[in-house]
Amino acid sequence: MKSWRSADGIEVRWYSLVDSTNDVARLWAVEGAASGSVVVADEQTAGRGRRGAVWVCPAGEGLAFSQVLRPSMPRALWPRLALIAGLAVAKTLEKYGVAAEVKWPNDVLFDGKKMAGILVESTDDAVIVGVGLNVNVADFPVEIADTATSLLRETGQEMDRRFLLEQLAQSIQSHASRAERDFPELLEQLRERCALGGKRVSLWLGNEALMVDVMGIGARGELLVERDGNIEALMQADQIRIIR
Ligand code: BTN
């Protein structure tokens, strides 16, 4: 494991192989990792996504990292950080000329294809923001070849993963602290990058499969949808797919 402190003062621990960076970051958080601390790995043996999905990325080609945050906002507001992390990643990608969109709550897409996924978990007193970003991935397995993309595929450039990691970690940390006092402004930025606005989507709400029209994102970060003529505010939904 290599460790260092970035120019912004963020402590980074870079491993070649771990089970899941979220698990390593959780242990470090319990031991007292400072807010902003980052665990990154070239390869994960048990990288996971939301709803028990598996997150796989060829060794050394992506960025799989988890950042410990210690918010001072009330715990009930922590879900805001899941939304804001997607925005922070999308805005970092814009620096590379990639017009990224956020598919609520926090998948990061380019041209409808997934470039990054985010898994936010928590301990008693910390939030763990886990980010999987397809960086220098040239080819994807056939199962996801039509739905995934990478920075390399979209820009034609190989990226320096360490430099990019530090930019992303700084962006997530500063957006998380802005979310404490400036959430409405960040929501506005999220709305400008919302991949679902005005779309008809299918989704799962618990055990119910629904077809709804997305109206936008509400003041608490909820997804506003129209179903059978009624507007509903969803705080959570699974397997959202754009129909048209
Ligand atoms: C998703 O798209 O469902 C979320 C994927 C999150 C993957 C990242 S990779 C780094 C961190 N460690 C994990 O085990 N998962 C997250």
Side-chain angles (χ1 to χ4, degrees), residues 102-114:
V102 181
K103 180 176 157 231
W104 186 92
N106 55 21
D107 278 352
V108 180
L109 310 184
F110 177 78
D111 206 12
K113 295 184 174 186
K114 185 158 167 170

Side-chain angles (χ1 to χ4, degrees), residues 56-241:
V56 194
C57 189
E61 293 186 9
L63 268 176
F65 70 94
S66 303
Q67 186 165 30
V68 176
L69 297 174
R70 297 193 182 278
S72 36
M73 63 176 77
R75 196 181 175 96
L77 300 181
W78 286 6
R80 288 180 174 188
L81 297 173
L83 288 174
I84 290 321
L87 173 66
V89 172
K91 286 172 69 178
T92 303
L93 297 178
E94 283 167 17
K95 295 186 174 157
Y96 293 88
V98 171
E101 291 189 314
V102 181
K103 180 176 157 231
W104 186 92
N106 55 21
D107 278 352
V108 180
L109 310 184
F110 177 78
D111 206 12
K113 295 184 174 186
K114 185 158 167 170
M115 195 173 268
I118 297 176
L119 175 69
V120 177
E121 298 176 330
S122 56
T123 68
D124 284 347
D125 58 1
V127 173
I128 313 291
V129 178
V131 180
L133 171 65
N134 299 321
V135 185
N136 298 324
V137 183
D139 295 303
F140 288 93
V142 276
E143 314 86 76
I144 57 169
D146 291 340
T147 55
T149 192
S150 69
L151 265 172
L152 173 64
R153 287 184 74 96
E154 301 305 337
T155 64
Q157 305 270 320
E158 285 245 348
M159 303 287 164
D160 177 336
R161 290 185 306 134
R162 172 172 166 160
F163 185 71
L164 183 57
L165 170 74
E166 292 187 357
Q167 280 187 318
L168 288 162
Q170 170 58 21
S171 179
I172 292 169
Q173 190 181 36
S174 68
H175 281 80
S177 81
R178 274 189 73 189
E180 309 255 357
R181 48 181 203 284
D182 225 3
F183 189 58
E185 164 61 21
L186 295 181
L187 273 183
E188 210 39 61
Q189 296 180 8
L190 193 61
R191 290 183 187 111
E192 287 164 12
R193 296 164 176 82
C194 178
L196 298 181
K199 303 278 193 217
R200 186 157 185 77
V201 304
S202 63
L203 54 80
W204 283 84
L205 208 52
N207 291 329
E208 209 183 353
L210 302 180
M211 195 75 86
V212 298
D213 294 306
V214 176
M215 313 304 292
I217 296 174
R220 289 170 301 139
E222 72 278 29
L223 191 68
L224 299 175
V225 302
E226 185 179 334
R227 175 162 64 130
D228 305 331
N230 299 316
I231 306 287
E232 294 179 24
L234 308 182
M235 293 309 291
Q236 187 265 331
D238 291 326
Q239 296 184 50
I240 302 176
R241 295 221 166 78

